[in-house]
Amino acid sequence: MTQLYNKVALIGLGLIAGSMAKAMRRAGLAGEIVGHARSAETRKTALEIGLVDAVFDTAAEAVKDADLVVLCVPVGVMGSIAQEIAPHLAQDATVSDVGSVKKAIIDAVQPHMPDHVHFIPAHPLAGTEHSGPHAGFADLFNNRWCLFTPLPETDRAYVDRLKQLWSEMGANVEEMDAEHHDLVLAVTSHTPHLIAYTMVGVADDLQRVANKEVIDFSAAGFRDFTRIAASDPTMWRDVFLNNKEATLEILGRFTEELFDLQRAIRRGDGEQLFDHFTRTRAIRRSIIDAGQDTNAPNFGRYPKEGD
Ligand SMILES: NC(=O)C1=CN([C@@H]2O[C@H](COP(=O)(O)OP(=O)(O)OC[C@H]3O[C@@H](n4cnc5c(N)ncnc54)[C@H](O)[C@@H]3O)[C@@H](O)[C@H]2O)C=CC1
Ligand SMILES: O=C(O)C(=O)Cc1ccc(O)cc1
């Protein structure tokens, strides 16, 4: 039990804040955990289920005397919350966030931060399609990455303490430049979500296949798409509005590749299809071999040829 912060204020009480609260409690990392959410119902629920020790009607009240403030709201409202809390932040408070995009959040939050606080952007690469105060669980961050995109002038002691918090909540931590983060996530998370949203929309629009058939006969691939496409619409709208450049670049490449495969199907070019699928299979195998997919039934070990 290492208490790292005396008072943690979580702004936004949904999946990520709820999981952080539970993981922090499990490891005894915070003296007190308080929170703010926009809706009275969420605040009431968070208190009733013991997610936080106290709730406040405003973010400004919640951050008072907190030595760690974590913004756990949709990407598009980070800037206005930062502006609201700025005059109420304690001396040497750490202010962090968990947003899925980093450059736009830094641009929106940093200008509001007074000199006496330490703003350290972070992003846990862990989540589910569920949201709200009931969605969180203590194991969410276990063996998942939490990426940090600190500004070069930030006092390292504060970065290290926040990294220790995430490590003790179960995550592996790494630092990178914010713009690079946004490109990496456009490839690994944002564009794949858009593809899932698109495919589920296609199935829904197709008159010749009834919705009941889509539900009854959905194979594993489509099922995964529907899970992803059930994610929170506000959150994902904000991700695309705030990671425009990188997602458009990756979507452009995706579309070119898709046209190539479409042509291969039309021409009956089995060799091109086979070669493409062989290359992509190797990527899946290296993810499993690196122990990065904890949901895989064969987690940590991919059967080798001849197994
Ligand atoms: N859901 C996921 O899988 C992941 C989400 N993230 C990021 O974490 C952040 C939070 O996401 P979740 O916890 O999933 O969302 P959520 O929808 O479960 O919770 C968001 C919370 O913010 C509150 N909120 C929304 N607008 C607000 C406002 N204007 N003022 C005050 N509170 C407001 C909501 O009432 C709710 O309590 C987002 O920035 C998202 O990009 C990061 C990693 C994974
Ligand atoms: O549920 C899934 O498949 C996810 O991909 C979760 C997720 C969503 C958004 C993030 O910024 C990070 C992780």
Side-chain angles (χ1 to χ4, degrees):
M1 290 271 182
T2 331
Q3 188 182 306
L4 293 172
Y5 294 95
N6 293 323
K7 181 175 176 182
V8 177
L10 300 172
I11 309 302
L13 294 169
L15 168 74
I16 302 295
S19 301
M20 287 186 74
K22 288 183 176 176
M24 283 190 280
R25 277 196 208 289
R26 181 177 61 183
L29 303 171
E32 187 189 2
I33 304 174
V34 304
H36 159 73
R38 188 180 38 170
S39 94
E41 198 186 327
T42 302
R43 293 196 295 271
K44 184 166 167 278
T45 306
L47 204 53
E48 271 171 11
I49 64 175
L51 220 52
V52 287
D53 302 308
V55 287
F56 295 91
D57 293 356
T58 66
E61 289 170 278
V63 303
K64 194 171 174 291
D65 299 325
D67 49 355
L68 174 64
V69 174
V70 190
L71 309 181
C72 305
V73 291
V75 172
V77 291
M78 296 278 182
S80 59
I81 301 265
Q83 184 172 24
E84 181 195 338
I85 62 174
H88 308 276
L89 293 165
Q91 177 71 35
D92 278 323
T94 294
V95 178
S96 188
D97 76 286
V98 294
S100 303
V101 168
K102 296 275 60 95
K103 177 76 169 64
I105 291 180
I106 293 172
D107 290 348
V109 171
Q110 178 64 15
H112 298 296
M113 290 294 104
D115 288 343
H116 66 268
V117 308
H118 311 271
F119 173 49
I120 307 171
H123 177 204
L125 306 190
T128 71
E129 68 280 23
H130 302 297
S131 49
H134 284 293
F137 55 100
D139 283 341
L140 178 65
F141 309 116
N142 280 3
N143 201 29
R144 299 288 170 158
W145 287 103
C146 183
L147 300 179
F148 282 65
T149 62
L151 301 155
E153 61 273 21
T154 310
D155 186 332
R156 295 301 307 179
Y158 290 86
V159 177
D160 291 343
R161 185 142 61 114
L162 189 63
K163 279 183 164 179
Q164 194 185 342
L165 178 88
W166 278 100
S167 296
E168 301 211 14
M169 288 195 294
N172 305 314
V173 295
E174 186 147 310
E175 284 184 35
M176 63 173 69
D177 167 79
E179 257 175 71
H180 188 64
H181 164 280
D182 291 353
L183 181 62
V184 171
L185 268 290
V187 176
T188 60
S189 176
H190 304 166
T191 312
H193 270 78
L194 196 71
I195 294 165
Y197 277 119
T198 313
M199 190 57 225
V200 176
V202 167
D204 192 41
D205 289 344
L206 198 67
Q207 300 290 322
R208 277 171 294 147
V209 180
N211 270 349
K212 186 176 180 323
E213 290 173 300
V214 171
I215 294 162
D216 288 351
F217 307 134
S218 75
F222 186 74
R223 250 173 224 269
D224 286 348
F225 278 166
T226 60
R227 184 189 70 76
I228 291 169
S231 301
D232 185 64
T234 304
M235 170 185 155
W236 284 98
R237 176 202 63 196
D238 284 6
V239 166
F240 292 108
L241 293 179
N242 290 282
N243 196 15
K244 198 170 172 176
E245 211 177 296
T247 47
L248 286 178
E249 183 191 334
I250 301 308
L251 266 176
R253 287 166 184 261
F254 174 83
T255 316
E256 281 176 27
E257 197 84 36
L258 191 65
F259 278 138
D260 247 21
L261 291 174
Q262 191 175 338
R263 196 181 311 114
I265 295 170
R266 188 180 311 109
R267 289 180 176 168
D269 187 343
E271 198 178 334
Q272 188 188 342
L273 294 171
F274 186 85
D275 288 350
H276 188 91
F277 301 155
T278 304
R279 185 156 63 89
T280 53
R281 182 186 226 188
I283 293 179
R284 171 66 182 175
R285 290 185 168 191
S286 44
I287 292 173
I288 299 293
D289 287 343
Q292 285 299 308
D293 188 347
T294 49
N295 296 320
N298 47 3
F299 171 50
R301 176 184 170 276
Y302 208 90
K304 301 284 179 295
E305 297 297 329
D307 257 14

